Amino acid sequence: MPPGDFRAPADHAVPRIEIFPMRHIGELRPGDDLAAIIAEHATLEDGDVLVVTSKAVSKVEGRLLVLESDDPQRREAARQEVIESETARIVAVRGALRIVETRHGLVLASAGVDVSNVAPNEIALLPLDPDASAQQLRERLRERLGVEVGVIITDTMGRPWRNGLTDVAIGVAGMTAVTDPRGESDGYGNVLGITRVAVADEIAAAGDLVKGKLAGVPVAVVRGLAPDGKLPDDGTGSGELIRPASTDLFRLGTDEAVALGRAEVAGADAVAPPLHQAAVALITGVRHADPMAAAVQQGFLGFLAARPDAMWRSCVPGHLTASALVLDPTRGAVLLTLHPRVGAWLQVGGHCEPGDQTLLDAAAREAREETGIGSLSFDPHPLALDIHPITCSLGVPTRHFDVQFLAVAPAHAEPVISAESVDLRWFGWDTLPAGTAAELPALINLARTRLQL
């Protein structure tokens, strides 16, 4: 296709778009029907994309912390506590500013916890599951208006190496978030090898041009992206926008990475990292009636006492891992992965990574990466401890000291298989597949006992 033609195969470009602000929505409060309010103020067409600020969604879903007073110091202290509770991993710290990874997998300042555009005694948190919120809004607009639209829920983020903030997509429904023209040729015959386009982020930023930060306009409509009225939709929501740890070249801020590198070079003589200390505290607090389980616990504590680097896969004698037994919302099925290296069905999980502050953080990150489910509810108390021999990605025989947690998936969660799995499926308690890991039934029984099932 010669240069100048507006749309190549697998490209996302269109000849023209229009962006409309949706005014007069007014102040939103918990329990408001956002779909009904939008339907009242908007004329929507098939193929439109609705761009909704996350603050609007958080308000109607009740993701607000309401304080007893509007004292600024108390509000800031409460904000810091909420940031900590919403943080899965600290990426960088500069004074009071924290860049963190949330349990959604988003990396942003202050875990998305915000005090703008809310009352002086309120603090806003991000929606629990932005993809689910986007899908629900899309379905309710279809019911009310009979239109097929895409929905993007946005939040404001900074960017590495660039000044200024921009809106990005944190929830997507009804459209493909990332296009993939790799393998296509440009107008000069060059084959695209690495180009993937974050279309949802581009639309989010475009929508903010008419929403702004001070105008009190939480919703915009982008029209023209689907000339035929049908938006491409791969069904993965916003998941493709989140870069997995295996391809993230910037897992930590510079200072944090340097400090970790020095600790790893120092090896076993290094001061134990915070994750090591957190692991000791967590495992020490585990209580077991079973003498064998208590013996395994002592094995964990002895190994941790001997190896300050026990958290990292580079520790050849063995290293701690974190896994999660994920249940469906009905508590009647378990999500299992067919592990390529082990060759058996087992719970999701894996190695600790730089930046994990606790073993629960590691388990949540691994579960999110391996299932594509962004908002799992975790029991913070370990379900079990297990030590097993394995040849893992370290490439030599070693041992995994696995701390095993229990998690429940949100309603309507759709697992997405990752590159780390051969297969990923739900199985009923009594219909486990052939090739299930030998230790898994006992772990499932512990989960059922804890949940009184």
Side-chain angles (χ1 to χ4, degrees), residues 268-452:
D269 295 328
V271 175
L275 178 58
H276 185 287
Q277 300 167 34
V280 171
L282 178 73
I283 294 167
T284 299
V286 174
R287 295 291 178 263
H288 293 292
D290 181 358
M292 289 299 296
V296 171
Q297 177 189 28
Q298 292 304 312
F300 270 75
L301 294 173
F303 184 66
L304 283 162
R307 296 297 300 244
D309 62 339
M311 319 309 302
W312 315 127
R313 73 184 76 193
S314 56
C315 182
V316 176
H319 37 267
L320 264 67
T321 56
S323 64
L325 187 70
V326 178
L327 310 183
D328 78 328
T330 70
R331 276 70 165 175
V334 61
L335 186 59
L336 301 182
T337 178
L338 183 56
H339 197 282
R341 186 173 289 106
V342 178
W345 291 95
L346 67 168
Q347 74 276 16
V348 296
H351 293 96
C352 300
E353 296 285 353
D356 291 333
Q357 297 299 297
T358 67
L359 288 169
L360 180 58
D361 291 346
R365 174 184 50 74
E366 285 287 333
R368 183 173 58 250
E369 291 174 359
E370 292 189 22
T371 69
I373 302 174
S375 300
L376 295 166
S377 298
F378 275 84
D379 183 336
H381 303 290
L383 187 60
L385 305 175
D386 183 57
I387 306 173
H388 52 269
I390 189 173
T391 299
C392 64
S393 58
L394 184 63
V396 297
T398 184
R399 298 167 188 81
H400 278 179
F401 289 71
D402 193 37
V403 181
Q404 300 165 335
F405 292 90
L406 176 63
V408 178
H412 309 300
E414 293 292 339
V416 179
I417 190 169
S418 75
E420 299 181 41
S421 301
V422 176
D423 201 354
L424 181 73
R425 299 186 197 175
W426 294 107
F427 294 97
W429 298 123
D430 302 320
T431 58
L432 297 180
T436 296
E439 64 274 11
L440 190 59
L443 184 65
I444 290 175
N445 285 337
L446 287 173
R448 298 182 71 173
T449 300
R450 180 168 294 187
L451 295 171
Q452 298 182 336

